[in-house]
Amino acid sequence: MKAIVIREHGGPEKLKLEEIPTPEISDTEVLVRVKACALNHLDIWVRRGIPGIEPPHIPGADVAGVVEKVGAAVRDIKVGERVVLNPNLNCGECEYCQMGEDSLCVNYGILGEHAPGGYAEFVKAPARNVIKIPEHVSFDEAAAVPLTFMTAWRMVVTRAKVRPGEDVLVLAAGSGVGSAAIQIAKLCGARVIATASTDEKLAKAKELGADIGINYAKADFDKEVWKLTNKRGVDVVIESVGQATWQKSLRALARNGRLVTCGATTGPLGETDIRLVFWKQLQIFGSTMGTRRELQTVLNLVWAGKLRPVIAGAFPLAEAAKAQEMLEKREQFGKLLLHS
Ligand SMILES: [Zn+2]
């Protein structure tokens, strides 16, 4: 089969299309013919190198396709079915898995990071990671959901517990997590303030339900939040940017405010004024990926048309490098996809 194989870490030029053997499946696995694979920032970290994870890699966590083959012990999944994959690879046995906390698993992995992913014609996955797609949903739409919507749902609903009437600041509205978090916070009944680097992206954020947009290239978003909320601040900040925004995100919070972070795309070392944390009695939550149940919840809402994955564009598999370059430059609004 054709696949993008990373033999050594580095820039986009390390994404090379190769002819490699199609994966063999075990009795409990399923082989999926990839129709669409969505890109994530995770893919860029995998390409640049994550400590402890050695090449070769086939990246790609978000896969939709058609079942090509099923293992001998697999029931309920049939060849030819349209499916999307749950990217969580958790052991099912540790203390956290026993509690249903898949992304806290001590042996946790992600498809395309710890196992060969969807930048390929075929990908294999455990049968329990396979979820059927209803007829009215396209492969592109299904592939654009799992990682970012599951992550955003856990941040907004499970961790921050956003309530009706609250003010929620969503950073990086054009990112996958951002565009999902805007919709989920609206579904929770919040007023959503979104930040982005261009007015075009803010217009799109408003189409998704954001009430107010702040162009952070033109103004400091913490000061804008201060004005917009009558010097009160927001109840919740949804963070994924990291170092470049951390201090401003904390300053944008109201007393008793909650900040949830799932990423540090601009760097890992944000400075925290501890006085701000105790005096305003702030709460800071970490969040990563989500559980099978959280994924099923967001998928059901997408199937029902209540949440909408935003698709920015698609590239053929051979142009994976071009697609990742676009993602790195943050030129797009929404998800980029690869078609095998
Ligand atoms: Zn586990």
Side-chain angles (χ1 to χ4, degrees):
M1 68 167 184
K2 289 193 171 59
I4 297 288
V5 184
I6 299 171
R7 299 278 172 194
E8 54 181 13
H9 295 135
E13 73 285 354
K14 303 294 183 192
L15 299 169
K16 297 236 170 73
L17 190 69
E18 291 187 13
E19 188 67 39
I20 59 166
T22 301
E24 298 287 333
I25 56 167
S26 74
D27 283 356
T28 56
E29 289 177 325
V30 170
L31 185 70
V32 173
R33 178 184 289 274
V34 180
K35 292 289 186 180
C37 179
L39 272 69
N40 289 290
H41 274 282
L42 173 69
D43 308 353
I44 290 166
W45 301 125
V46 167
R47 193 198 71 214
R48 289 180 187 161
I50 295 173
I53 304 173
E54 292 307 316
H57 296 296
I58 300 175
D62 278 335
V63 178
V66 176
V67 175
E68 179 81 8
K69 228 186 245 181
V70 296
V74 175
R75 287 184 249 167
D76 304 327
I77 300 166
K78 297 190 174 56
V79 170
E81 282 182 323
R82 302 166 78 247
V83 297
V84 61
L85 297 181
N86 171 5
N88 288 323
L89 301 174
N90 55 303
C91 74
E93 289 167 12
C94 73
E95 175 190 351
Y96 299 98
C97 284
Q98 294 289 329
M99 293 190 294
E101 290 291 355
D102 303 351
S103 61
L104 287 170
C105 174
V106 296
N107 303 302
Y108 186 67
I110 301 173
L111 189 71
E113 183 180 356
H114 304 84
Y119 285 33
E121 284 182 288
F122 295 96
V123 63
K124 69 172 181 176
R128 63 193 169 96
N129 286 58
V130 174
I131 300 168
K132 289 169 199 173
I133 307 173
E135 279 307 316
H136 71 280
V137 177
S138 70
F139 291 117
D140 282 2
E141 287 171 299
V145 176
L147 195 144
T148 50
F149 273 85
M150 174 168 70
T151 300
W153 184 270
R154 186 170 177 83
M155 292 174 84
V156 173
V157 177
T158 311
R159 303 296 268 165
K161 296 188 168 66
V162 169
R163 294 182 290 268
E166 288 194 311
D167 280 345
V168 176
L169 175 68
V170 177
L171 300 192
S175 69
V177 168
S179 59
I182 289 169
Q183 297 180 62
I184 294 167
K186 284 309 291 180
L187 213 55
C188 294
R191 179 171 76 150
V192 175
I193 304 171
T195 74
S197 56
T198 67
D199 291 341
E200 293 75 44
K201 284 184 181 177
L202 290 174
K204 286 183 178 159
K206 284 185 180 169
E207 282 171 28
L208 292 177
D211 298 280
I212 300 163
I214 299 173
N215 184 332
Y216 68 77
K218 289 185 186 163
D220 288 328
F221 72 82
D222 55 333
K223 288 178 186 149
E224 290 301 306
V225 164
W226 219 234
K227 281 186 221 159
L228 287 165
T229 58
N230 258 330
K231 299 185 181 175
R232 178 186 178 271
V234 293
D235 299 289
V236 173
V237 176
I238 300 298
E239 246 288 352
S240 57
V241 181
Q243 199 161 315
T245 53
W246 187 254
Q247 284 176 298
K248 288 179 184 173
S249 290
L250 287 171
R251 280 202 295 265
L253 283 171
R255 287 158 191 263
N256 209 22
R258 293 101 78 197
L259 181 149
V260 190
T261 173
C262 73
T265 46
T266 59
L269 300 174
E271 206 170 283
T272 301
D273 184 338
I274 297 166
R275 295 167 300 181
L276 209 58
V277 177
F278 67 71
W279 186 246
K280 288 183 150 188
Q281 306 193 41
L282 305 179
Q283 300 176 73
I284 300 172
F285 296 93
S287 194
T288 199
M289 300 291 283
T291 65
R292 166 65 188 247
R293 187 178 187 152
E294 286 160 340
L295 174 59
Q296 192 64 60
T297 302
V298 289
L299 286 171
N300 290 345
L301 288 163
V302 170
W303 304 162
K306 308 262 188 215
L307 294 175
R308 183 164 66 89
V310 183
I311 293 161
F315 293 80
L317 181 62
E319 292 179 21
K322 206 165 134 189
Q324 282 203 358
E325 276 169 11
M326 193 169 170
L327 182 64
E328 279 185 294
K329 286 184 195 149
R330 298 167 202 286
E331 285 168 350
Q332 86 296 349
F333 187 99
K335 301 298 284 180
L336 295 169
L337 298 154
L338 294 175
H339 288 160
S340 295

